[in-house]
Coordinates of all heavy atoms in Angstrom, one line a residue:
G1 N -73.2 -29.8 162.6 CA -73.6 -29.1 161.5 C -74.7 -29.9 160.7 O -75.7 -29.2 160.3
A2 N -74.6 -31.2 160.7 CA -75.6 -32.0 160.0 C -77.0 -31.9 160.9 O -78.1 -31.9 160.4 CB -75.2 -33.5 159.9
G3 N -76.8 -31.9 162.2 CA -78.0 -31.7 163.1 C -78.6 -30.4 162.8 O -79.9 -30.3 162.9
H4 N -77.9 -29.3 162.6 CA -78.5 -28.0 162.3 C -79.4 -28.1 161.0 O -80.5 -27.6 161.0 CB -77.4 -27.1 162.1 CG -76.9 -26.4 163.3 ND1 -77.2 -25.1 163.7 CD2 -76.0 -26.9 164.2 CE1 -76.6 -24.8 164.9 NE2 -75.8 -25.9 165.2
V5 N -78.8 -28.7 160.0 CA -79.6 -28.8 158.7 C -80.9 -29.6 158.9 O -81.9 -29.2 158.4 CB -78.7 -29.5 157.6 CG1 -79.5 -29.8 156.4 CG2 -77.5 -28.6 157.3
I6 N -80.8 -30.7 159.6 CA -82.0 -31.5 159.8 C -83.1 -30.8 160.6 O -84.3 -31.0 160.4 CB -81.6 -32.9 160.4 CG1 -80.7 -33.7 159.5 CG2 -82.9 -33.7 160.7 CD1 -80.3 -35.0 160.0
T7 N -82.6 -30.0 161.5 CA -83.6 -29.3 162.3 C -84.3 -28.2 161.5 O -85.5 -27.9 161.8 CB -82.8 -28.5 163.5 OG1 -82.1 -29.6 164.3 CG2 -83.8 -27.8 164.4
V8 N -83.6 -27.5 160.5 CA -84.2 -26.7 159.6 C -85.4 -27.4 158.9 O -86.5 -26.9 158.8 CB -83.2 -26.1 158.6 CG1 -83.9 -25.3 157.5 CG2 -82.2 -25.3 159.3
A9 N -85.1 -28.6 158.4 CA -86.1 -29.4 157.7 C -87.3 -29.7 158.6 O -88.4 -29.8 158.2 CB -85.5 -30.7 157.2
S10 N -87.0 -30.0 159.9 CA -88.0 -30.3 160.9 C -89.0 -29.2 161.1 O -90.2 -29.4 161.1 CB -87.4 -30.8 162.2 OG -88.4 -31.0 163.2
M11 N -88.5 -28.0 161.2 CA -89.4 -26.7 161.4 C -90.2 -26.6 160.1 O -91.4 -26.2 160.2 CB -88.5 -25.5 161.6 CG -87.7 -25.6 162.9 SD -88.8 -25.7 164.4 CE -88.1 -27.4 165.0
A12 N -89.6 -26.8 159.0 CA -90.3 -26.6 157.7 C -91.5 -27.7 157.6 O -92.6 -27.3 157.2 CB -89.4 -26.7 156.4
A13 N -91.2 -28.9 158.0 CA -92.2 -30.0 158.0 C -93.4 -29.6 158.9 O -94.5 -29.8 158.6 CB -91.6 -31.3 158.4
S14 N -93.0 -29.0 160.2 CA -94.1 -28.5 161.0 C -95.0 -27.5 160.4 O -96.2 -27.5 160.6 CB -93.5 -28.1 162.3 OG -93.0 -29.1 163.2
A15 N -94.4 -26.6 159.7 CA -95.1 -25.6 159.0 C -96.1 -26.1 157.9 O -97.3 -25.7 157.8 CB -94.2 -24.5 158.4
V16 N -95.6 -27.0 157.2 CA -96.4 -27.7 156.1 C -97.6 -28.4 156.7 O -98.8 -28.3 156.2 CB -95.5 -28.6 155.2 CG1 -96.4 -29.3 154.2 CG2 -94.5 -27.8 154.4
I17 N -97.3 -29.2 157.7 CA -98.4 -30.0 158.3 C -99.4 -29.1 158.9 O -100.6 -29.3 158.9 CB -97.8 -31.0 159.4 CG1 -97.0 -32.0 158.6 CG2 -98.8 -31.6 160.2 CD1 -96.2 -33.0 159.5
E18 N -99.0 -28.0 159.7 CA -100.0 -27.1 160.3 C -100.8 -26.4 159.2 O -102.0 -26.2 159.4 CB -99.3 -26.1 161.2 CG -100.1 -25.0 161.6 CD -101.3 -25.4 162.5 OE1 -101.3 -26.6 163.0 OE2 -102.2 -24.6 162.7
R19 N -100.2 -26.0 158.1 CA -101.0 -25.4 157.0 C -102.0 -26.3 156.4 O -103.2 -26.0 156.1 CB -100.0 -25.0 155.9 CG -100.7 -24.3 154.7 CD -101.2 -23.0 155.1 NE -102.0 -22.4 154.0 CZ -103.3 -22.6 153.8 NH1 -104.0 -23.3 154.7 NH2 -104.0 -22.0 152.8
R20 N -101.7 -27.6 156.4 CA -102.6 -28.6 155.8 C -103.7 -28.8 156.9 O -104.9 -29.0 156.5 CB -101.9 -29.9 155.6 CG -102.8 -31.0 155.0 CD -102.1 -32.3 154.7 NE -103.0 -33.4 154.3 CZ -102.6 -34.6 154.1 NH1 -101.4 -35.0 154.3 NH2 -103.5 -35.5 153.8
R21 N -103.4 -28.8 158.2 CA -104.4 -29.1 159.2 C -105.4 -27.9 159.2 O -106.6 -28.1 159.2 CB -103.7 -29.1 160.6 CG -104.7 -29.4 161.7 CD -104.2 -28.9 163.0 NE -104.1 -27.5 163.2 CZ -105.1 -26.7 163.5 NH1 -106.3 -27.2 163.6 NH2 -104.9 -25.4 163.6
R22 N -104.9 -26.7 159.1 CA -105.8 -25.5 159.0 C -106.6 -25.5 157.8 O -107.8 -25.0 157.8 CB -105.0 -24.2 159.2 CG -105.8 -23.2 159.9 CD -104.9 -22.1 160.3 NE -104.1 -21.5 159.2 CZ -104.7 -20.7 158.3 NH1 -105.9 -20.3 158.4 NH2 -103.9 -20.2 157.3
A23 N -106.1 -26.0 156.7 CA -106.9 -26.0 155.4 C -108.1 -27.0 155.5 O -109.1 -26.7 154.9 CB -106.0 -26.5 154.3
T24 N -107.9 -28.0 156.3 CA -109.1 -28.9 156.5 C -110.2 -28.2 157.2 O -111.4 -28.5 156.9 CB -108.7 -30.2 157.2 OG1 -108.2 -29.8 158.5 CG2 -107.6 -31.0 156.5
A25 N -109.8 -27.3 158.2 CA -110.9 -26.6 158.8 C -111.7 -25.6 157.9 O -112.9 -25.6 157.9 CB -110.3 -25.7 160.0
G26 N -110.9 -25.0 156.9 CA -111.6 -24.2 156.0 C -112.4 -24.9 155.0 O -113.5 -24.5 154.6
A27 N -111.9 -26.1 154.6 CA -112.7 -27.0 153.7 C -114.0 -27.4 154.3 O -115.0 -27.6 153.5 CB -111.8 -28.2 153.3
H28 N -114.1 -27.5 155.6 CA -115.3 -28.0 156.2 C -116.1 -26.8 156.8 O -117.1 -27.0 157.4 CB -115.0 -28.9 157.4 CG -114.6 -30.3 156.9 ND1 -113.3 -30.5 156.5 CD2 -115.2 -31.4 156.9 CE1 -113.2 -31.8 156.2 NE2 -114.3 -32.4 156.4
G29 N -115.7 -25.5 156.5 CA -116.4 -24.4 156.9 C -116.3 -24.2 158.4 O -117.2 -23.5 159.0
E30 N -115.2 -24.7 159.0 CA -115.1 -24.6 160.5 C -114.0 -23.8 160.8 O -113.5 -23.8 162.1 CB -114.9 -26.1 161.0 CG -116.1 -27.0 160.8 CD -117.3 -26.6 161.7 OE1 -117.1 -25.8 162.6 OE2 -118.4 -27.2 161.5
E31 N -113.3 -23.1 160.0 CA -112.2 -22.2 160.3 C -112.6 -21.2 161.3 O -113.6 -20.4 161.1 CB -111.6 -21.6 159.1 CG -110.2 -20.9 159.4 CD -109.5 -20.5 158.1 OE1 -110.2 -20.5 157.1 OE2 -108.3 -20.1 158.2

């Protein structure tokens, strides 16, 4: 059960990092 909870957090972290990566493309006009 604890492993399930940490995996949920891992997927959320991947979403946040990808959103930040794509934001850098927009900031440089390269999206």
